[in-house]
Amino acid sequence: MKIKWINANLLTLKCVLFLFFGAIGAVIPFLPLQMNALGMSKDEAVIVSGIAPLIALIGPLVAGPLADRLAGGFGGAPRTKTGRYLRVMIAVSFFLAAIFYWLLTLIPPIMRSPPNVSFVCDEAGGFVLQDRCGAERTCYNWGSGKGSVLVKNCIFSCNATSAYKGESSTMPPVEEVSSEYADDYYDAGNNVVNEPEGVAPSQIPVEYLPEPYPHMCFQNASRDTVCEVYTEFYAIKLNLGLRPTLASPDNDTDSTCKYPFDEPFSCRIPPIKAEELRREFGDEDCHPVVICEIQDPYNNTDSLLKRSQCGYDNISFWLYLFMKSCGDISIAAAVTLLGTAIVIATRETSTGRGDIGKQFACGALGFGLFAALIGRFAAGRFDEGIICFTILILLAIIILLADEKMPLSPPEWWWHTRCGLLALPMSSVRKYGLETAALGIILLLLGIFWNAIDSFLPWHVAKLPEGNSLIIGLAVTVAAIPGVIFLIFAEKIVDYCGHSNILIFCFVNYICHHLTLICIENATFIFLCEFLEIFTLHVMYVTAVLYLRHLVPRKFTACGQALPVIAHFCIGRCIGAFLGGIAYNEYPSNFNRVHQWFTIAAAIVAFIYYITYHFYLKPKCGAPVHLPPDPAPAVVQSMNGNGSYTPLRVYHNSKSKKGHFRY
């Protein structure tokens, strides 16, 4: 028995989609881990994740108009009778993507030797201690720039050492304070230690004394003195500048560089604490200080110390950015051309439906399958992933060049385009330009919400309990494989629900997605979030393709399919990467804060879009009933041989069967 929904003419196209998106799934989800393995800092990884998609919009900007031009039929260009031009363009895009992604494996790692470093301060000021760099034992010559320093594990000590990492502490356990001394000794509101009148520090029993917290005092932008109180529950972010190392007679032989702060700074050390330190260390010459560990000194966002680490060389970073951007240009062009090929090959029928969703279902199947396989059997390693990527891409190229019968003839040859919109080729552009622009803005916003999560999700998974490469791959699978069922029936779903209602539903899903991501504390529960990508990525993209299939005239099919790629996967991905990267500055506290704001933003955008569309765009852009022109065009008279006219049911005629879509 023949299965009706399998079209034999489209089998090779389904194979191409399965192989291409499978290749994407084998590499793209694991790129953040590969950037870490290459030695990039968080700042550098965020720059690559944001800039590369922005440069990638060159691909659809060139491929879309070029494909429409090669199809011919307007501007005096001869109309082609085959789809060879489209198959060759897709094959070239595939080949270039494989070349540039292979070149990523040849980029040498960023070799850095991070020296030990610590944060030290006392009542006279503050300074950073850092081991000297390399065989020449040099110290960094700081300029006037400032940067962030994130301090934690602060203790009172007599030892100022660059090797402090917070492993040990001289702080005794905090005991309950006796009421006999507590009122005079400890101001709980301000954490200020006062000596009781008439009582020497040595006369107060140690067991009755509270443990004071380090106070770090500095001037803010308004030149007011502000004091930060360090506790073990959080780290303190300080914005500092440093001066060159202090000159001393033994400066050339000392193993440590001492960089003073470039602005007023002090740490309060209570006299009672100084006496305790001298007793504990048995050293009357002890100089009490506050010493802190610096969290991620060379890898934190906007890190002051990043440029002072030994062996810092950014040549590999620039090479990676260039190769990744070129690879993304090719992939973005390929996605645009594949969307065009699907719209053309499915040949929208007289009932207004083709097989678009079923083709994308094959792509989603490959995307989810190979992401899980690379995560499971290759542990997300880039070398194994790029081998799989290349094999799948080459197979797709062979199919494209070998199948001369793939139904990709230009869209102007369709039977129903000789009437309706194409009777006046630019009428659709003028009439539906506002609706097309609104769709582009919505796709851009959806791209921001999506990529704020997607670009750096592997980092978050790796930091959660039970997080590993398999979880990263399965997160893609959970979104893609179940989405196959929805994609098979995508056109019926979109027809029933309406394009705009589905897009509004995507924003509602992002409210849940970002909010749930905040609450998850175990990597296995990431699947609850990623399941929502069935709608926010897969169904959303098919909805955009179907929407633009009708909004854009047939002779601009490729340009129309370039719009969702540019808006969602290029510009939206760029902005989302930079905003999402903020979540990993002061992780995990900033992570929760950033996604809380995304949750609120998604709710606001969903509400505004709903109101704007249903109360403005829908009434304004709703298509009226098309009446036949008077006199009827010659093409219509020829189709009605006896000269009589029966109104043709064309796109956007709400009373016809064809084109009866709920926008």
Side-chain angles (χ1 to χ4, degrees):
M1 180 178 178
K2 186 178 180 180
I3 302 176
K4 293 183 179 180
W5 63 272
I6 296 181
N7 187 336
N9 295 327
L10 300 176
L11 283 178
T12 53
L13 180 59
K14 287 182 173 69
C15 291
V16 170
L17 292 167
F18 176 83
L19 293 170
F20 173 73
F21 286 104
I24 297 299
V27 171
I28 297 299
F30 307 102
L31 278 177
L33 300 182
Q34 194 253 350
M35 287 188 279
N36 282 352
L38 195 63
M40 287 190 190
S41 67
K42 289 181 181 178
D43 282 348
E44 290 167 338
V46 170
I47 291 172
V48 170
S49 301
I51 296 298
L54 186 63
I55 298 176
L57 63 83
I58 296 174
L61 283 177
V62 172
L66 181 60
D68 285 333
R69 182 72 178 179
L70 292 177
F74 70 97
R79 182 183 301 168
T80 181
K81 296 182 179 181
T82 69
R84 182 179 303 169
Y85 74 98
L86 192 53
R87 291 188 292 108
V88 171
M89 288 183 67
I90 296 173
V92 170
S93 299
F94 285 3
F95 181 76
L96 292 176
I99 291 295
F100 285 114
Y101 269 81
W102 253 111
L103 290 176
L104 292 179
T105 63
L106 303 180
I107 296 176
I110 300 174
M111 303 302 296
R112 292 167 178 163
S113 176
N116 292 323
V117 64
S118 63
F119 177 97
V120 183
C121 63
D122 55 19
E123 293 180 340
F127 50 91
V128 167
L129 291 178
Q130 184 185 56
D131 290 349
R132 289 177 177 265
C133 275
E136 298 179 356
R137 315 298 290 169
T138 58
C139 292
Y140 188 76
N141 187 17
W142 296 93
S144 58
K146 290 188 176 183
S148 67
V149 175
L150 201 62
V151 298
K152 64 178 183 179
N153 294 328
C154 295
I155 60 172
F156 294 102
S157 177
C158 289
N159 297 327
T161 171
S162 61
Y164 173 65
K165 294 295 181 183
E167 290 91 353
S168 60
S169 172
T170 61
M171 296 174 67
V174 178
E175 302 288 346
E176 184 178 353
V177 183
S178 169
S179 59
E180 179 181 356
Y181 302 105
D183 292 340
D184 292 327
Y185 180 86
Y186 184 59
D187 183 344
N190 298 306
N191 196 247
V192 176
V193 178
N194 302 309
E195 297 181 22
E197 185 176 354
V199 181
S202 59
Q203 296 176 331
I204 302 176
V206 174
E207 63 268 19
Y208 292 150
L209 300 181
E211 184 62 36
Y213 293 123
H215 283 56
M216 304 176 186
C217 302
F218 54 91
Q219 291 184 348
N220 60 16
S222 302
R223 313 305 295 174
D224 297 325
T225 300
V226 178
C227 292
E228 291 277 5
V229 181
Y230 173 79
T231 69
E232 64 272 22
F233 303 110
Y234 70 102
I236 296 178
K237 183 177 181 180
L238 302 170
N239 192 42
L240 301 171
L242 296 177
R243 296 198 300 271
T245 188
L246 293 174
S248 63
D250 60 347
N251 192 46
D252 294 334
T253 59
D254 190 5
S255 62
T256 304
C257 301
K258 185 177 181 180
Y259 303 119
F261 297 162
D262 200 24
E263 54 271 312
F265 196 97
S266 64
C267 290
R268 296 176 182 172
I269 302 176
I272 192 72
K273 188 62 185 180
E275 290 293 330
E276 179 186 333
L277 289 171
R278 293 188 180 98
R279 290 196 302 268
E280 181 177 345
F281 284 89
D283 184 4
E284 290 299 324
D285 295 328
C286 166
H287 179 71
V289 295
V290 173
I291 184 169
C292 305
E293 177 187 356
I294 300 179
Q295 178 175 315
D296 293 332
Y298 307 108
N299 197 33
N300 194 39
T301 301
D302 192 31
S303 172
L304 171 66
L305 298 166
K306 181 174 64 176
R307 48 188 163 149
S308 68
Q309 61 183 314
C310 304
Y312 180 77
D313 188 358
N314 60 1
I315 294 178
S316 293
F317 163 72
W318 290 110
L319 284 174
Y320 190 94
L321 177 60
F322 176 76
M323 298 303 178
K324 176 70 165 51
S325 298
C326 292
D328 285 358
I329 289 173
S330 303
I331 288 179
V335 172
T336 298
L337 296 172
L338 283 173
T340 304
I342 293 172
V343 170
I344 294 174
T346 52
R347 292 296 198 274
E348 180 191 6
T349 65
S350 60
T351 60
R353 295 188 182 89
D355 292 327
I356 285 183
K358 296 169 188 175
Q359 317 313 311
F360 278 111
C362 295
L365 182 63
F367 186 64
L369 179 62
F370 285 97
L373 290 176
I374 295 299
R376 171 65 180 85
F377 295 106
R381 291 186 295 270
F382 187 75
D383 289 343
E384 286 86 340
I386 198 65
I387 292 173
C388 180
F389 176 90
T390 305
I391 293 173
L392 296 176
I393 285 292
L394 290 178
L395 290 175
I397 292 174
I398 292 172
I399 294 174
L400 281 167
L401 298 180
D403 186 10
E404 295 284 347
K405 297 182 179 179
M406 192 176 292
L408 298 180
S409 58
E412 276 93 351
W413 288 37
W414 301 353
W415 67 268
H416 68 279
T417 58
R418 292 186 177 277
C419 57
L421 289 180
L422 288 189
L424 295 173
M426 294 302 296
S427 63
S428 177
V429 176
R430 290 193 295 267
K431 181 172 180 56
Y432 302 110
L434 179 61
E435 198 168 358
T436 304
L439 177 61
I441 294 173
I442 294 303
L443 292 174
L444 186 150
L445 293 174
L446 288 172
I448 295 173
F449 285 109
W450 167 64
N451 203 52
I453 299 172
D454 186 76
S455 276
F456 311 110
L457 185 64
W459 287 356
H460 183 57
V461 172
K463 292 177 180 292
L464 291 175
E466 301 185 18
N468 52 52
S469 298
L470 178 59
I471 298 294
I472 296 171
L474 288 177
V476 176
T477 304
V478 166
I481 301 299
V484 170
I485 305 299
F486 288 87
L487 292 174
I488 289 175
F489 302 101
E491 291 189 78
K492 293 183 179 178
I493 294 173
V494 173
D495 191 11
Y496 180 80
C497 299
H499 298 76
S500 294
N501 290 331
I502 289 179
L503 296 177
I504 293 170
F505 180 65
C506 289
F507 285 110
V508 175
N509 271 351
Y510 277 123
I511 299 173
C512 303
H513 199 159
H514 286 275
L515 186 61
T516 307
L517 204 60
I518 297 171
C519 304
I520 288 176
E521 297 181 354
N522 188 289
T524 54
F525 293 109
I526 287 289
F527 300 146
L528 297 176
C529 292
E530 294 307 294
F531 183 80
L532 297 174
E533 284 204 353
I534 292 174
F535 309 102
T536 56
L537 180 60
H538 303 291
V539 174
M540 179 279 303
Y541 184 62
V542 176
T543 300
V545 170
L546 292 170
Y547 207 162
L548 288 163
R549 181 183 68 175
H550 298 293
L551 288 179
V552 178
R554 298 298 184 261
K555 61 176 61 180
F556 304 125
T557 297
C559 290
Q561 295 308 312
L563 177 61
V565 178
I566 292 172
H568 188 276
F569 295 107
C570 294
I571 302 177
R573 191 174 178 86
C574 168
I575 300 173
F578 284 118
L579 295 180
I582 300 174
Y584 297 88
N585 176 17
E586 302 179 42
Y587 181 91
S589 59
N590 245 22
F591 182 88
N592 294 340
R593 189 178 304 113
V594 167
H595 288 287
Q596 285 171 1
W597 281 109
F598 270 110
T599 302
I600 296 171
I604 294 173
V605 172
F607 177 76
I608 293 175
Y609 181 30
Y610 180 87
I611 296 298
T612 303
Y613 181 79
H614 286 281
F615 292 94
Y616 178 72
L617 285 175
K618 187 175 181 179
K620 183 177 181 63
C621 299
V625 176
H626 289 270
L627 297 176
D630 187 21
V635 65
V636 174
Q637 294 177 4
S638 64
M639 294 174 64
N640 297 271
N642 58 2
S644 61
Y645 178 77
T646 302
L648 294 176
R649 297 177 176 181
V650 296
Y651 165 63
H652 276 309
N653 183 349
S654 59
K655 293 185 178 181
S656 65
K657 185 177 181 181
K658 170 181 166 40
H660 186 192
F661 299 100
R662 299 174 62 186
Y663 290 97

